[in-house]
Amino acid sequence: MATGKKEKDTSTEEKILAAARIVFTKKGYAATKVRDIAAEADINLSLVNYYFRSKEKLFEVVMAEAVQKLVFEIAGVFNDEQLSVLEKVSKAVNYYIDLLLENPDFPLFLVNEIIAGEDMFSRAAQQHVLFKSHLFRQLFEMQEKGRLKVHPVHIMMNVIGMVVMPFLAKPLLERNELVKNEEFRALMNERRTLIPLWLKGMLG
């Protein structure tokens, strides 16, 4: 009996989290009400409060999941001193394309929350992985030695844009019948090879 109850509890919690991801992505944190999440999950409002106590706690869980996937799980690549800049970028591009193909709403969710000031992702990126990583140090060293003619931030912005922007643009492309879902996946798979090639050109 105890095992059955545990499985039921886990199922309900996952149902709430799945609904919260959808609603937070569509509405953003500020506009989301707990009742919206309960309606999306098709459960009683009191159950949401029972499992997560408040909208704030639920949002923290959802954002922490996003940070874990988008920042911490790729930290080893960014800080691997045995890899070149191009090798790091190639591995990161593959990781993020896989992740975003499975979670295409991530970019919109993060953009909405960063703009709104819910900046857990930016703080994590700054403190733990990206801006203090070995990858960033490599780029600054290349700039100091004259091997990189532009500010390293240009490189990072370009790589992020080349991976993320297609997912933000996907609804527009689909509405204008420029791509269908499978065509979009094929284009993103092509970018696994193209982005490192483009970066190589930027690095000279």
Side-chain angles (χ1 to χ4, degrees):
M1 292 294 291
T3 301
K5 185 176 186 300
K6 183 177 180 181
E7 288 174 355
K8 183 178 179 181
D9 289 346
T10 301
S11 174
T12 302
E13 185 173 317
E14 284 303 316
K15 193 174 182 180
I16 294 168
L17 281 172
R21 294 182 197 108
I22 292 169
V23 178
F24 282 135
T25 298
K26 286 180 179 177
K27 293 190 169 187
Y29 173 78
T32 293
K33 308 267 190 244
V34 175
R35 71 174 68 93
D36 299 328
I37 296 169
E40 179 68 33
D42 193 25
I43 62 173
N44 191 284
L45 175 63
S46 62
L47 275 175
V48 179
N49 292 321
Y50 172 75
Y51 279 97
F52 292 97
R53 300 199 302 278
S54 69
K55 182 179 81 169
E56 291 79 5
K57 293 293 183 184
L58 186 50
F59 180 77
E60 285 175 9
V61 174
V62 172
M63 181 59 86
E65 288 178 344
V67 169
Q68 177 67 31
K69 291 177 180 177
L70 288 166
V71 178
F72 295 119
E73 289 185 17
I74 197 67
V77 171
F78 289 146
N79 287 300
D80 189 337
E81 298 186 10
Q82 303 304 311
L83 297 177
S84 69
V85 169
L86 280 173
E87 288 170 330
K88 284 185 172 73
V89 169
S90 293
K91 287 179 178 292
V93 164
N94 275 297
Y95 173 78
Y96 283 123
I97 287 176
D98 283 339
L99 178 65
L100 297 181
L101 284 172
E102 293 303 313
N103 302 272
D105 291 331
F106 262 0
L108 180 60
F109 170 66
L110 289 172
V111 167
N112 284 341
E113 297 313 317
I114 289 171
I115 290 172
E118 303 297 335
D119 215 3
M120 188 188 299
F121 172 71
S122 291
R123 292 197 301 271
Q126 182 179 23
Q127 294 172 7
H128 299 285
V129 180
L130 185 56
F131 302 114
K132 295 183 179 180
S133 68
H134 184 256
L135 169 59
F136 223 65
R137 292 201 300 273
Q138 284 174 296
L139 290 170
F140 274 104
E141 287 172 8
M142 290 174 68
Q143 184 189 35
E144 289 171 4
K145 293 176 181 178
R147 294 170 53 205
L148 181 60
K149 303 300 183 184
V150 298
H151 196 289
V153 171
H154 280 300
I155 303 299
M156 301 311 301
M157 287 192 297
N158 283 345
V159 173
I160 292 169
M162 286 187 286
V163 173
V164 174
M165 190 61 199
F167 289 92
L168 294 173
K170 183 173 181 278
L172 178 64
L173 297 173
E174 289 180 332
R175 281 197 296 270
N176 286 276
E177 300 182 348
L178 293 173
V179 296
K180 295 180 180 178
N181 189 56
E182 287 309 309
E183 291 173 314
F184 180 81
R185 293 183 70 91
L187 289 171
M188 291 311 301
N189 283 324
E190 287 180 13
R191 290 175 85 83
R192 299 174 192 272
T193 302
L194 290 173
I195 292 173
L197 286 176
W198 293 332
L199 177 62
K200 187 175 181 180
M202 284 185 261
L203 295 176

